[in-house]
Amino acid sequence: MTSQSENFYARWRAKNCAANFLRDENFPTERLLQAIWQHQRVLRNELKTADGKTVRIFHPGFASVEGGPDFRNAVIQIGDDAPKSGDVEIDLQSSGWRAHGHDKNPNFKNVLLHVVWEETKSSANAPTILSLQNVLVAPIAELSLSLENESLRALPEHFRGKCCAPLRELDEAKTIELLQQAARVRFENKAAQMRARAKNVGWEQTLWENLFRALGYKHNVWPMQNLAEQMQFSASLRLRGENAFEIQARLLGISGLLPDQLTRAQKFTDNYLRRIWDFWWRERDGFSEIVLPRAVWKFHGLRPANHPQRRLALASHWLANENFISKVETWSAKEIPDRKLLASLHEILNVERDEFWSWHWTFNSARFKEPQPLLGDARVTDLAVNVILPWLWIRACEGKNEKLQREIEHRFFSWPAAEDNSILKLARQRLLGTANAKIFKTASAQQCLMQIVRDFCEHSNAVCEHCPFPELVRDWKM
Ligand code: SF4
C-alpha cells in the first residue's frame, strides 16, 4: 500500500480540493459542521461558550433523522452546572436561531447548545452558543476531505453503547436466546395488556381498539385509540349491519377529519364529500359529545399512505364485514407454511376496492391513474406482531388451548422482518455496532431490540449512565 505522502493523486486531490473549498463562498456547509460535530473533530479541552464558560462534551448526541434539532440527547456540561442531556442545533451563524424560526418551534425547546461556525448577533432567549471556527483539530478544508464520505446516519465507533462490546462477545446461540427472551417479554406484555382491557370491554372491542392504535402508526396512535374506545364497536355499528360507506362517514365525522368545504376543484372528491355529509348530517347531533377536535391529529412528517383518513376508510371495510373476526380466528387454527404466513393474513385484511380511497391519498390529493392498495405488507406485519398474534395467543392461553398457543408463538418467532425504522437504526448501531438492517431476518428480533431500548436505553442517556444492561449481558455469558 502506498502512503499518503507517496501517493501523487492523494496529494493532488488534497491541494486542489482545499483550494476549491476556500474559493467557495458557501464553505463550510452546515452538513460539514454536522459531520465535524458528530465525529467531535474539535479541541475538546478548549471549548468555551460565547460568554467564556467551559463546555465539556460527554456525548455529541445522535443525528436526528426525523427533523427537529440536528442532534438529540447529547450529554453536555456547561460551566459549573451538572452535565445535562439535551439537543444540539448546528447552524452556520448564531443569527440562524431566529432566522430559521427555531425560537418559535416547540421541537427545539430542549436545545442545550447552539453550535455555530461564526458568532453573529445572538437573540434573546437563544440557547448557549459554541463557535467552532477556532477550535477545530485540523484546517477546515482538510476535515472536509476526511469527512465528506461519512454518513451522518453512521454512529462513530467510540460513541456506541456500553453493551456493544459484551454483546459482540456472546456466541451466536447465546445471542439468539437472549434476543428471543426479550422479544417474548414484549409479546407477553402486549397480550397481558389486552387481557386486562378485555375484562372491561370484552375481547372483540379490545381487538378493535388495538387495531385502531396500530393504524394510527406512530403519529396518531392516541386519537385512533380514543376513537375506537368512544365508538364501542362491538356494541354499536356492527350490530346495526351498516355498510362500509356508512361506517366510513361516521368514523370520518367523529374523527373531526371531515372537511366542511368542498374542494371546488376535484369533481370526484366533491361528489364523495357530498354523499358523506348527507349521511353524517343526520347523525352529527347524536355523536356531538365524542367528536374529536382536528387539532389532536398530527400530519407533520406523515407519509400520504399513512394519512388517518385513509386508515379509517380501511377500518370501515373491516367493521362492515361481519365475518372479519371469525376469519382471523380461523386463520390462527389453519395449517400454514411459514413462508405463506404474511400473504395469508394479508388476504384476510386486504380490502379489494374502496370507491374513493383506493384512488386518493387524501381529500386534497389528485385522483391516481391506477388504484392503490389500502394496505401494504409492512402494515400487515405491524398488525400481526403487535396486535393479532398477541390477541390470539392470550385468548388461547385463557382457553387453555396449548396447541394453539404453541402455534401462535411459532408464528410470532417466524414472522418475516418488518420495515426498518429510526429507533431500530439507532439501536442496531448503539447495541450491535452495525448499520446493516439485514442482520434481522424476523420481526421478533426487531421487537427484541425495541424492548431493550424501552427497558434500558430510555432509562439512561447517551453515555449509558447507570445502565445495568452491559453487566446483565456479561452475567448471561457465564
Ligand atoms: S443505555 Fe444500556 S442498553 Fe442502551 S446502549 Fe447503553 S448500555 Fe446498551
Side-chain angles (χ1 to χ4, degrees), residues 195-235:
R195 177 173 50 200
R197 180 68 181 156
K199 287 205 169 106
N200 293 321
V201 295
W203 287 111
E204 273 203 24
Q205 173 66 17
T206 301
L207 178 63
W208 287 119
E209 288 176 9
N210 281 279
L211 288 172
F212 267 63
R213 249 182 91 86
L215 289 180
Y217 200 37
K218 56 188 171 186
H219 294 79
N220 289 303
V221 169
W222 287 107
M224 277 291 203
Q225 176 168 343
N226 190 297
L227 186 59
E229 285 171 4
Q230 299 290 349
M231 297 283 290
Q232 291 293 317
F233 295 119
S234 39

Side-chain angles (χ1 to χ4, degrees), residues 161-164 430-431 452 456-457 460-461 463-464 467 469-470:
K162 285 185 181 158
C163 58
C164 188
R430 285 189 79 193
L431 282 85
I452 298 173
F456 297 97
C457 302
S460 180
N461 56 16
V463 290
C464 306
C467 177
F469 190 59

Side-chain angles (χ1 to χ4, degrees), residues 62 159-164 166-167 426-427 429-432 452-471 473:
F62 304 110
F159 293 124
R160 285 180 188 157
K162 285 185 181 158
C163 58
C164 188
L167 276 170
L426 179 57
Q429 297 191 63
R430 285 189 79 193
L431 282 85
L432 305 174
I452 298 173
V453 168
R454 173 161 301 177
D455 289 341
F456 297 97
C457 302
E458 285 181 8
H459 299 280
S460 180
N461 56 16
V463 290
C464 306
E465 203 173 8
H466 306 306
C467 177
F469 190 59
E471 216 39 58
V473 177

